[in-house]
């Protein structure tokens, strides 16, 4: 976004500067044309009046000198040529000279009028738009001379082009546009980073109030939102933990009293139901702990953590195989990350009989794939299995154990660490759970 804001500001300022330069150059060009026309009138009047008072013997010598420059007076080669209607220049000159002189504009158009002129500006016209014409001038003694008004000579070529002269200006406005873009975008980046940090750690320090008043107001609102979210999560976690903890005592008393039931079949059914309730309470406590972010973050060796989790699973009789190495560290809460991995592996073994764990290194992250040997999950239920207490009644039912909180807890923990959990049915059968965890860089 910084680049887009910088380009918009830069292009806007350059366009405004170009328009201003174009208007200034055109106004200057019109002023020069008006000044040149006035000078041409003065020069033409001087040449004509001087030639008129010259003796006949001296007039040819004078006309040789007068035939130079951009306003020329010379002998006419078409004294009887048909003249055109008066032009603006000829009318002004006629008013200056008076009735004793007769002016007649000719159809002859000087070639210099149509030749492009060298300009030193990108915004100036290359065509002379001032007076450029010829006319016959009849003196009081009847002699006809030809007056030619040509465009002014082109200015000498300059080694300092307009682009070079504009370069400091362009550099200064580019630097100014960059500063404005940085000043505009940096507060937004800080808020975006604060939102990202909030997603990873609800107890992250609040945003420092600095900058313009609008930015300080937005930062204050963000800090207030973070405080409300933290309070809401804390209250919900405490309430769930209190409920599940308080249920432990009556459930224990019920188990003790069930020992006195004389009917063995009824006793076993009641004990099974009580065990299911205790399992739900236990996983409810685990769910409450998964939303608790008070544990300190630290750098963890992913390969060592996976090896420890898989070894512990194998020691208790679960069929777990680990392949691959990530050779990277991650930043996380050790107990929470371990609980996430244990839940995913237990879920695979419970419903798919085994867990094949594969880890591989990606660009800036590691991908952990856990595949089981179960029947998989219908595509329309992939998202619902992450909902608390949701169980698939066909293959992943109460009979196989669980309360539907394992994946919910695993996803909560993963999201707190900036990781991502996805499900997919493997092409060779079974469900494959993919956990992508970001890499931790020292000093980042």
């Amino acid at each position: 976004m910084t680049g887009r804001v910088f380009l918009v500001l830069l292009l806007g300022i350059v366009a405004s500067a170009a328009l201003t330069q174009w208007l200034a150059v055109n106004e200057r060009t019109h002023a020069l044309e008006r000044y040149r026309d006035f000078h041409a009138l003065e020069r033409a009047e001087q040449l004509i009046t001087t030639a008129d008072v010259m003796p006949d013997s001296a007039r040819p010598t004078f006309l040789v000198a007068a035939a130079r420059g951009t306003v020329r007076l010379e002998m006419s080669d078409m004294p009887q040529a048909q003249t055109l209607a008066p032009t603006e220049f000829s009318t002004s000159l006629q008013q200056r000279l008076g009735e004793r002189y007769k002016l007649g504009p000719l159809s002859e158009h000087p070639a210099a009028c149509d030749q492009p002129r060298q300009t030193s500006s990108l915004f100036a016209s290359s065509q002379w738009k001032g007076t450029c014409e010829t006319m016959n001038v009849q003196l009081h003694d009847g002699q006809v001379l030809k007056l030619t008004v040509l465009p002014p000579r082109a200015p000498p070529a300059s080694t300092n082009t307009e682009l070079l002269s504009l370069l400091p200006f362009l550099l200064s406005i580019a630097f100014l546009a960059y500063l404005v873009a940085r000043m505009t975008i940096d507060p937004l980046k800080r808020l975006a980073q604060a939102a990202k940090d909030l997603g990873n750690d609800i107890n992250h320090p609040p945003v420092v109030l600095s900058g313009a008043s609008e930015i300080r107001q937005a930062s204050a609102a963000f800090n207030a939102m973070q405080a409300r979210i933290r309070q809401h999560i804390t209250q919900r976690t405490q309430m769930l933990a209190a409920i599940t903890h308080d249920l432990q005592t009556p459930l224990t008393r019920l188990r003790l009293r069930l020992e006195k039931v004389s009917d063995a079949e009824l006793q076993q059914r009641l004990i099974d139901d009580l065990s299911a309730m205790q399992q739900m309470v236990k996983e409810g406590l685990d769910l409450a702990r998964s939303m608790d972010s008070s544990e300190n973050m630290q750098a963890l060796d992913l390969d060592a953590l996976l090896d420890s989790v898989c070894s512990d699973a194998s020691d208790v009789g679960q069929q777990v195989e680990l392949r691959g190495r990530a050779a990277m560290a991650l930043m996380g809460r050790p107990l929470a990350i371990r609980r996430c991995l244990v839940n995913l592996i237990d879920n695979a073994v419970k419903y798919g009989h085994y867990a094949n764990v594969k880890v591989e290194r990606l660009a800036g992250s590691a991908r952990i794939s856990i595949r089981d040997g179960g029947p998989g999950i219908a595509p329309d239920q992939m998202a619902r299995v992450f909902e608390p207490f949701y169980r698939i009644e066909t293959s992943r039912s109460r009979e196989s154990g669980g309360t539907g909180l394992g994946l919910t807890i695993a996803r909560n923990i993963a999201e707190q660490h900036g990781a991502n959990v996805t499900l997919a049915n493997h092409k060779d059968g079974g469900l494959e759970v993919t956990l992508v965890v970001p890499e931790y860089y020292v000093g980042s």
Side-chain angles (χ1 to χ4, degrees):
M1 188 175 179
T2 304
R4 292 196 297 269
V5 173
F6 170 72
L7 287 178
V8 169
L9 288 174
L10 181 61
L11 292 177
I13 296 176
V14 170
S16 300
L19 178 60
T20 303
Q21 183 72 4
W22 180 78
L23 293 174
V25 169
N26 276 271
E27 180 61 29
R28 183 180 62 186
T29 301
H30 293 158
L32 290 175
E33 290 173 354
R34 291 192 297 270
Y35 174 78
R36 172 62 183 170
D37 290 347
F38 176 79
H39 173 74
L41 281 174
E42 294 282 340
R43 178 65 174 167
E45 181 183 8
Q46 292 174 1
L47 291 177
I48 292 172
T49 54
T50 302
D52 188 41
V53 299
M54 280 281 180
D56 293 341
S57 59
R59 186 174 294 170
T61 304
F62 171 75
L63 292 178
V64 172
R68 300 173 182 175
T70 56
V71 181
R72 301 175 182 178
L73 186 64
E74 54 192 342
M75 298 295 298
S76 176
D77 51 359
M78 295 183 297
Q80 304 299 325
Q82 184 178 1
T83 59
L84 304 177
T87 63
E88 181 180 356
F89 182 82
S90 65
T91 301
S92 299
L93 184 58
Q94 184 71 67
Q95 292 174 353
R96 283 173 170 266
L97 294 174
E99 296 297 332
R100 62 183 296 183
Y101 301 97
K102 293 182 179 180
L103 306 180
L106 301 175
S107 59
E108 176 186 350
H109 197 61
C113 298
D114 300 325
Q115 293 178 357
R117 304 177 66 251
Q118 180 183 356
T119 60
S120 58
S121 173
L122 295 174
F123 305 96
S125 174
S126 61
Q127 189 69 37
W128 174 254
K129 297 180 180 179
T131 300
C132 186
E133 57 185 83
T134 58
M135 65 186 70
N136 279 342
V137 179
Q138 184 176 354
L139 304 180
H140 74 280
D141 60 359
Q143 187 176 8
V144 179
L145 303 178
K146 184 172 72 171
L147 177 69
T148 305
V149 181
L150 300 176
R153 296 183 178 91
S158 175
T159 56
N160 297 323
T161 63
E162 190 176 44
L163 286 178
L164 290 178
S165 62
L166 287 177
L167 186 58
F169 172 73
L170 294 176
L171 292 177
S172 63
I173 63 173
F175 179 70
L176 177 62
Y178 176 75
L179 286 182
V180 173
R182 284 289 302 272
M183 292 172 58
T184 305
I185 301 302
D186 280 354
L188 298 179
K189 287 184 176 179
R190 288 196 297 270
L191 284 177
Q193 183 61 40
K196 182 179 178 181
D197 295 337
L198 176 63
N200 296 332
D201 182 10
I202 191 63
N203 295 314
H204 193 274
V207 181
V208 178
L209 302 182
S210 62
S213 59
E214 295 82 2
I215 300 300
R216 291 197 300 271
Q217 291 176 2
S219 300
F222 182 88
N223 292 337
M225 178 194 68
Q226 180 180 0
R228 289 194 298 268
I229 293 175
R230 185 189 299 116
Q231 182 181 12
H232 173 72
I233 292 177
T234 301
Q235 291 175 350
R236 188 179 69 171
T237 303
Q238 291 175 347
M239 179 182 65
L240 182 58
I243 291 174
T244 53
H245 180 270
D246 292 343
L247 283 175
Q248 292 284 3
T249 301
L251 288 175
T252 303
R253 289 199 302 263
L254 282 174
R255 178 174 287 276
L256 293 175
R257 291 171 182 174
L258 284 176
E259 298 296 335
K260 300 179 181 180
V261 176
S262 57
D263 188 338
E265 183 179 357
L266 176 60
Q267 182 188 48
Q268 187 59 44
R269 289 180 180 178
L270 292 175
I271 290 176
D272 291 342
D273 289 340
L274 187 60
S275 298
M277 293 176 63
Q278 288 179 321
Q279 181 64 24
M280 291 180 65
V281 170
K282 178 181 178 299
E283 294 195 11
L285 285 171
D286 291 339
L287 178 61
R289 294 189 187 100
S290 72
M291 294 182 290
D292 183 15
S293 58
S294 59
E295 186 183 3
N296 294 328
M297 301 280 285
Q298 57 182 279
L300 304 174
D301 187 329
L302 180 59
D303 292 324
L305 181 61
L306 280 172
D307 184 69
S308 174
V309 171
C310 293
S311 297
D312 291 345
S314 299
D315 291 342
V316 297
Q318 293 181 341
Q319 186 178 347
V320 179
E321 179 186 358
L322 174 62
R323 293 182 295 119
R325 289 184 59 82
M328 61 165 262
L330 64 92
M331 177 61 71
R333 303 178 181 90
L335 295 179
I337 287 291
R338 187 179 185 86
R339 185 181 303 123
C340 174
L341 294 172
V342 168
N343 281 9
L344 295 179
I345 293 176
D346 285 347
N347 195 72
V349 173
K350 185 182 299 179
Y351 300 116
H353 312 298
Y354 64 84
N356 289 336
V357 183
K358 179 183 178 182
V359 58
E360 54 186 336
R361 180 77 172 270
L362 302 177
S365 61
R367 179 168 58 196
I368 305 170
S369 302
I370 304 174
R371 180 190 169 197
D372 61 34
I377 298 178
D380 58 342
Q381 294 183 324
M382 289 288 187
R384 296 201 62 189
V385 295
F386 288 107
E387 298 176 3
F389 302 106
Y390 180 79
R391 295 185 303 272
I392 301 175
E393 296 301 332
T394 55
S395 61
R396 298 169 181 254
S397 61
R398 188 188 299 269
E399 284 71 17
S400 59
T403 58
L405 290 176
L407 289 178
T408 305
I409 295 172
R411 187 179 64 173
N412 286 347
I413 296 173
E415 290 179 347
Q416 290 177 5
H417 292 79
N420 184 34
V421 179
T422 57
L423 304 179
N425 291 319
H426 197 274
K427 61 180 180 179
D428 296 329
L431 181 71
E432 186 175 51
V433 182
T434 302
L435 175 64
V436 179
V437 295
E439 183 176 4
Y440 168 66
Y441 296 96
V442 179
S444 61

